[in-house]
Amino acid sequence: MKNSNYSDRIHLVGRLGSIMSLAIMLGIPAIISQSFDVWPTVGEVISVGSGLLAIFVPTAIAEVFSYAPILGSASYIAFITGNVLNLKLPCAISAMELADVAQGSDEGDAISTVAITSSSMLTMLVIALGVVLLVPLQPILQQPVVQTATTYMLPALFGSMFFGMITGKRSGEYIIEGKMKAVILPLIVIVLVNFFITPISGKEGYAMICAIPMTIACAYFLYKKGAIKVELIKKPAAPAAEEIQSADGDNVEGDDVREEL
């Protein structure tokens, strides 16, 4: 059951943080434009921004609908700090799996928030060190071996996530059998559109917006047909607090038994 007090507070802090971040990101360019009197015209903003908005607005909408159910209320800090797909999302998923908590629960929200916050702090530290050490490390970073290795970082990260998604059946408090069946039809549609209609490169946001409801519909249909099965994990019952009969016939308190174990 959701803790309303926790949800109300975390959403309040998240909304305030989002407003403050937007004010800073938009305020600094506004102050610079006002100080140097270099305000762009509306036509210039539309001509330059329309192409970018056409690409990034659908992507942003798709990311909110696809990431928020996993990250929970930690989505606020994840979207503020960025690098959600290649950094924040893997950290949150790994942390929730290690803590054995369900996505969407209060525990999952708390663990996800701690993981993303730690990741953001570490990222800022690494960026600060990178700025300081950029010149000394430049000869090393420009070596062909290092440049070749960096091209495999994202494929390795996404490959491990995809492998875990395929092999893992547990999702929080549930075991899901046959969950990969739900992505077969959307995957086939995306591949056919990419090769026979139009390349989706640069249109990933539109593809995600179309694939998300299609995947949900396939999962619902297959679940109703019994092709996908969801089972609640049965947790062992805690020992009763009353007297427990010991092996030698003596009665001992349940707390004493747990201490001995």
Side-chain angles (χ1 to χ4, degrees):
M1 183 179 293
K2 276 285 185 181
N3 188 323
S4 59
N5 188 36
Y6 170 83
S7 298
D8 293 341
R9 289 191 175 185
I10 201 70
H11 285 298
L12 176 61
V13 174
R15 290 163 185 165
L16 292 176
S18 299
I19 294 172
M20 292 173 60
S21 300
L22 287 173
I24 294 173
M25 287 186 285
L26 298 178
I28 293 176
I31 293 173
I32 295 175
S33 299
Q34 181 64 33
S35 301
F36 294 95
D37 193 20
V38 289
W39 284 98
T41 63
V42 177
E44 291 174 340
V45 174
I46 294 176
S47 61
V48 174
S50 58
L52 296 174
L53 292 175
I55 296 174
F56 289 107
V57 168
T59 302
I61 295 174
E63 287 180 349
V64 170
F65 280 101
S66 56
Y67 298 160
I70 301 174
L71 301 178
S73 56
S75 300
Y76 290 109
I77 190 172
F79 287 120
I80 290 173
T81 55
N83 289 329
V84 182
L85 179 61
N86 59 347
L87 191 59
K88 303 303 190 304
L89 185 65
C91 288
I93 293 176
S94 178
M96 285 187 284
E97 289 180 351
L98 291 174
D100 193 19
V101 295
Q103 299 173 7
S105 63
D106 286 346
E107 295 81 3
D109 278 6
I111 294 296
S112 178
T113 302
V114 172
I116 293 176
T117 303
S118 303
S119 173
S120 301
M121 296 174 64
L122 182 60
T123 300
M124 289 187 289
L125 177 61
V126 171
I127 292 175
L129 292 176
V131 172
V132 175
L133 302 176
L134 180 61
V135 175
L137 294 178
Q138 190 171 4
I140 300 176
L141 298 176
Q142 290 180 344
Q143 291 184 3
V145 176
V146 177
Q147 294 181 350
T148 302
T150 55
T151 59
Y152 291 96
M153 292 178 62
L154 285 181
L157 175 63
F158 296 147
S160 62
M161 291 177 58
F162 185 69
F163 180 78
M165 182 179 62
I166 293 176
T167 57
K169 296 181 180 180
R170 184 166 181 173
S171 179
E173 301 175 346
Y174 298 91
I175 294 292
I176 304 177
E177 298 282 352
K179 61 181 180 180
M180 292 303 299
K181 298 176 183 177
V183 305
I184 295 177
L185 179 59
L187 182 61
I188 292 175
V189 172
I190 294 296
V191 171
L192 292 177
V193 170
N194 181 69
F195 286 101
F196 297 103
I197 299 179
T198 180
I200 64 173
S201 178
K203 310 181 185 68
E204 291 85 355
Y206 297 97
M208 291 176 65
I209 291 177
C210 296
I212 289 173
M214 191 185 306
T215 305
I216 295 174
C218 291
Y220 180 78
F221 176 80
L222 293 173
Y223 173 74
K224 287 296 184 181
K225 293 295 183 179
I228 296 178
K229 298 180 180 180
V230 180
E231 299 179 0
L232 179 65
I233 298 176
K234 295 182 179 179
K235 297 182 179 180
E242 292 81 7
E243 295 181 348
I244 300 176
Q245 188 73 19
S246 63
D248 58 359
D250 296 331
N251 290 334
V252 295
E253 294 293 333
D255 292 340
D256 296 332
V257 173
R258 286 191 291 270
E259 290 177 359
E260 293 175 1
L261 293 175

